Amino acid sequence: MHDHKSPTALSSGEADGAALFDDAFREAFARLVRYRRDIRAFRPDPVPQEVLESCMRLAHRAPSVGYSQPWRFVQVQDAQVMARVIDSFSRANAEALAATEESRRGLYARLKLEGLREAPVQMAVFCDEETDIGHGLGARTMPETRRYSVVCAIHTLWLALRAHGIGLGWVSILYPEDVKAALSAPESWRFIAWLCIGWPAVAPNSTPELERAGWERRLPLDAVWLHHPPQKAQDKGRSG
């Protein structure tokens, strides 16, 4: 979608976003990001259809390479399909547990890693890797950007749901071929994620569960925000 205003026609307030987003919004958005969390325990209460549809509309506004919109969200309500997905998780989880280093195996076994049996909304998310939408713009040298676009849509949905107090859990301990077979998905669809959606059983904490459980800690920002050429220590201090 394109705005017919030319860049030079924008006011200074519009150009810097101040006309749309104020300090209160930015603070609320930062709080939303901190409390997003990957939810694994859910209440059985249904998610209002109008809220789910509103959040899905926002997810459908996510950025995509070449405006390809390659995301395919499949809401699953079939008990037989769910049974096959749960079986796939059980097998994949058992293999992951066996492959975990012995010193961490007990901790792994105590982690709750899915809400497949409790969450009232279950979705499989795919990337249509052969879509004609977008005419291949931007994906010729990096076709995987279509998958990245799907991840952008998932994250947008995640934040939109959380703003309503609804939780989302991303299940990746699954065999993709099992999910595709269970749903008879087209060959060109690549499985990206299984989403469990519903009301959290416990109020989300601003600290990730895996950090609280002692599985891993958050890296400092300077471990992931790098500069080339590397900045000298005094330059870093001056920059902020």
Side-chain angles (χ1 to χ4, degrees):
M1 295 178 65
H2 298 283
D3 194 327
H4 292 296
K5 276 187 179 181
S6 68
T8 55
L10 293 175
S11 70
S12 59
E14 290 173 318
D16 64 16
L20 295 175
F21 310 114
D22 57 14
D23 287 342
F25 175 86
R26 284 185 281 273
E27 182 179 345
F29 179 73
R31 188 165 64 250
L32 173 62
V33 171
R34 288 196 300 270
Y35 282 86
R36 173 194 49 79
R37 300 283 62 83
D38 189 357
I39 304 301
R40 288 85 179 273
F42 298 88
R43 306 200 312 263
D45 314 55
V47 174
Q49 181 61 29
E50 63 273 16
V51 174
L52 182 60
E53 183 173 334
S54 172
C55 293
M56 288 297 297
R57 288 186 183 280
L58 288 177
H60 189 42
R61 285 182 171 270
S64 61
V65 62
Y67 204 24
S68 57
Q69 307 156 73
W71 40 77
R72 305 291 181 262
F73 290 85
V74 181
Q75 188 168 345
V76 179
Q77 297 171 297
D78 185 277
Q80 291 185 333
V81 171
M82 286 305 306
R84 292 174 67 176
V85 172
I86 290 170
D87 176 70
S88 181
F89 170 82
S90 297
R91 289 184 287 107
N93 194 48
E95 290 191 14
L97 175 61
T100 300
E101 56 188 280
E102 189 172 355
S103 63
R104 301 175 69 84
R105 205 168 292 164
L107 175 55
Y108 183 100
R110 292 192 295 273
L111 296 173
K112 180 171 174 52
L113 300 173
E114 47 78 27
L116 294 168
R117 298 166 179 82
E118 304 96 26
V121 178
Q122 305 281 341
M123 287 191 186
V125 189
F126 297 87
C127 174
D128 184 353
E129 302 208 310
E130 294 182 5
T131 181
D132 292 328
I133 304 299
H135 309 286
L137 179 66
R140 182 173 299 279
T141 53
M142 293 181 65
E144 64 271 22
T145 50
R146 293 192 184 96
R147 301 174 208 164
Y148 305 157
S149 300
V150 177
V151 174
C152 286
I154 292 171
H155 191 245
T156 302
L157 176 63
W158 212 331
L159 293 176
L161 289 167
R162 189 69 200 96
H164 286 275
I166 300 167
L168 179 151
W170 181 328
V171 183
S172 60
I173 307 174
L174 292 166
Y175 294 107
E177 60 272 20
D178 290 347
V179 179
K180 286 192 65 171
L183 290 170
S184 301
E187 185 61 32
S188 65
W189 288 17
R190 184 182 184 91
F191 178 63
I192 302 297
W194 189 280
L195 308 181
C196 301
I197 298 170
W199 302 100
V202 178
N205 192 294
S206 62
T207 302
E209 182 180 346
L210 292 179
E211 189 170 347
R212 285 184 281 124
W215 183 263
E216 192 51 271
R217 62 179 180 82
R218 186 179 302 281
L219 292 170
L221 182 59
D222 61 8
V224 297
W225 184 8
L226 310 178
H227 298 81
H228 185 79
Q231 288 183 316
K232 296 179 181 179
Q234 59 267 33
D235 293 336
K236 287 186 178 181
R238 283 198 296 270
S239 64

